[in-house]
Amino acid sequence: MFFGFFRRKKKDRGSRKEAKDRLQAIVAGRRHSVPVREVIPAEVFKNSEQDVVKQIKSYVAERFMVNEENVRVQFEEHNGYVVIITNVVFH
Amino acid sequence: MAKVYVVTSGKGGVGKTTITANIGCALASKGEKVCLIDADIGLKNLDITLGLENRIVHTILDVVNKKVAASEALVRHKQLKGLFLLAASQIATKEMLSPEDMKRIVGELYGKFDYILIDSPAGIERGFRNAIASAEKAIVVTTPELPAITDADRVIGLLENAGMVEENIRLIINRFKPQMVKRGDMLTKEDIQENLSIDLLGIIPDSEDVIVATNKGIPVVLNGNQGHGIARVFENIALRIKGELISVEKDLQTEAGKGIIEFFKKLFSRN
């Protein structure tokens, strides 16, 4: 029992090994990304982008009673998805 | 023509802003003309770290809205004549700035500086996209903990997807604790580097001096510490950025022998 106490203490020491194993497991394959152009052909994507920008500009300008030039619409392609950002400038 | 760096991490609170401020000061104190851009719109901190919060007249948003030119919005540092800051706006959101805006702003400043350092916000969304848009090189900051390292890995992947080559992405390990590594309770620099697979730009040991310096609004590099301790580490990093070959082991040597000095300091301290 006396020696068992020290053995247990030694076994508990140092969390580095556990952290290293977990890090390797998490990091493996993590950097893989899916470009949107793998899902939608580039031409279709570009045409859709122009159509969507036009429609959002028109709709937002009408709803907020501002000129279409005051509505900024931007498309961003992130890892496998598209983000559409709209800014309305009132002044 | 400036070399344009983004300082990024993924995870918040790992020390990006402190590192940006100190590398900027270290480069400027070596005679380089440096511009720091705070891209953390809405949560600006770089002006506070540099002690310039009361000098801000125009922000990056004024440049985006074309109220002033980028060079007119810059604030010169009090001590370092070659160090300038383009501050972020606190009342704006990251969505009010676009990657194209950032490219235009950096383009305006490109010919006027030797180095442009962009302090990226945490996260991988819009603010991050803005910050990396015009950068040629990246400094990825992590601490030696799993959440920060795995986020750094994600950011490295996104930088590569954005077209940045691996040679232009370098790693800084912040708040490193050699004593914990010795005890086997912290990942070593080799463990981290092996998993992230990018070159190491520096290792910054955990230091109370950084907190004291930030309290005063004077980056640790300028807080009477030049050439010593943690300031020396930032100076080493600045020299590596300039292309000098200095072993990263030197960063840890600044901590060697500190134990015995601290022991005697505590022994003779009145508090």
Side-chain angles (χ1 to χ4, degrees):
Chain A
M1 191 181 160
F2 178 75
F3 289 109
F5 172 76
F6 285 104
R7 214 174 290 134
R8 254 201 314 277
K9 286 283 268 187
K10 197 178 177 184
K11 200 178 165 188
D12 288 341
R13 273 187 67 201
S15 53
R16 177 200 156 201
K17 173 81 172 64
E18 202 177 337
K20 195 180 171 185
D21 292 344
R22 290 180 66 208
L23 179 61
Q24 277 167 348
I26 297 165
V27 164
R30 205 175 147 101
R31 288 188 197 172
H32 177 70
S33 66
V34 187
V36 171
R37 277 160 184 79
E38 270 183 23
V39 186
I40 307 168
E43 192 62 26
V44 176
F45 182 85
K46 202 178 169 193
N47 291 338
S48 305
E49 179 180 341
Q50 285 166 352
D51 276 357
V52 172
V53 168
K54 209 174 155 188
Q55 288 199 36
I56 291 176
K57 274 190 166 210
S58 160
Y59 181 75
V60 171
E62 190 193 328
R63 300 294 295 186
F64 287 105
M65 291 175 284
V66 293
N67 293 326
E68 282 196 21
E69 303 85 73
N70 289 19
V71 183
R72 281 172 72 183
V73 182
Q74 284 152 343
F75 262 61
E76 277 186 13
E77 186 190 328
H78 291 203
N79 186 21
Y81 56 96
V82 171
V83 178
I84 304 167
I85 298 157
T86 306
N87 278 286
V88 186
V89 181
F90 289 96
H91 303 293
Chain B
M1 294 294 167
K3 292 187 176 90
V4 186
Y5 284 80
V6 61
V7 182
T8 185
S9 67
K11 190 179 178 301
V14 296
K16 285 182 296 297
T17 302
T18 305
I19 288 171
T20 307
N22 279 288
I23 293 177
C25 288
L27 283 167
S29 61
K30 293 183 190 319
E32 303 291 341
K33 204 170 175 201
V34 182
C35 179
L36 306 180
I37 300 179
D38 192 347
D40 199 352
I41 317 291
L43 289 171
K44 66 183 188 76
N45 280 320
L46 193 51
D47 55 338
I48 297 167
T49 308
L50 290 163
L52 295 174
E53 67 272 20
N54 294 326
R55 292 190 169 201
I56 310 300
V57 179
H58 296 292
T59 68
I60 197 165
L61 199 63
D62 296 322
V63 184
V64 170
N65 292 335
K66 297 182 179 167
K67 282 185 187 168
V68 289
S71 54
E72 289 173 282
L74 297 176
V75 179
R76 191 195 286 261
H77 192 264
K78 290 175 274 188
Q79 286 168 260
L80 296 164
K81 299 298 171 207
L83 182 67
F84 293 79
L85 168 71
L86 178 55
S89 170
Q90 204 159 19
I91 53 159
T93 67
K94 292 167 181 72
E95 284 68 33
M96 293 166 92
L97 194 78
S98 72
E100 285 66 37
D101 292 327
M102 191 58 104
K103 281 181 194 166
R104 180 176 66 81
I105 291 165
V106 171
E108 273 186 59
L109 300 168
Y110 196 68
K112 294 169 182 156
F113 291 93
D114 300 312
Y115 290 93
I116 296 175
L117 305 184
I118 302 163
D119 183 23
S120 165
I124 53 171
E125 294 85 24
R126 177 72 157 186
F128 168 75
R129 304 268 159 190
N130 290 337
I132 69 166
S134 57
E136 298 150 355
K137 299 183 180 204
I139 297 170
V140 176
V141 180
T142 186
T143 54
E145 295 128 36
L146 285 187
I149 302 166
T150 53
D151 284 1
D153 181 65
R154 178 95 170 92
V155 158
I156 294 164
L158 292 172
L159 288 166
E160 287 174 351
N161 286 345
M164 205 175 277
V165 291
E166 202 179 291
E167 297 76 51
N168 288 339
I169 308 171
R170 297 175 81 182
L171 180 71
I172 288 181
I173 304 172
N174 194 21
R175 301 200 194 112
F176 194 71
K177 297 188 181 189
Q179 292 302 321
M180 281 190 79
V181 172
K182 217 179 254 182
R183 282 207 314 267
D185 268 328
M186 183 172 271
L187 290 163
T188 64
K189 67 175 170 47
E190 289 82 9
D191 293 338
I192 298 168
Q193 208 183 348
E194 194 181 301
N195 280 284
L196 296 182
S197 309
I198 55 168
D199 281 345
L200 207 49
L201 181 61
I203 306 171
I204 305 170
D206 196 30
S207 169
E208 290 180 7
D209 293 344
V210 175
I211 299 169
V212 173
T214 307
N215 288 344
K216 295 179 186 173
I218 305 168
V220 73
V221 169
L222 303 176
N223 194 24
N225 300 307
Q226 288 92 326
H228 304 286
I230 203 79
R232 183 63 183 268
V233 177
F234 286 111
E235 286 159 11
N236 287 345
I237 291 171
L239 290 172
R240 287 184 200 115
I241 287 174
K242 286 182 70 173
E244 288 192 27
L245 295 171
I246 300 167
S247 159
V248 284
E249 300 299 331
K250 293 234 177 210
D251 296 350
L252 297 174
Q253 283 168 12
T254 58
E255 286 293 286
K258 198 179 170 187
I260 194 84
I261 293 166
E262 289 299 313
F263 172 78
F264 281 109
K265 262 189 188 172
K266 275 181 190 165
L267 193 68
F268 294 109
S269 167
R270 285 183 184 172
N271 297 322

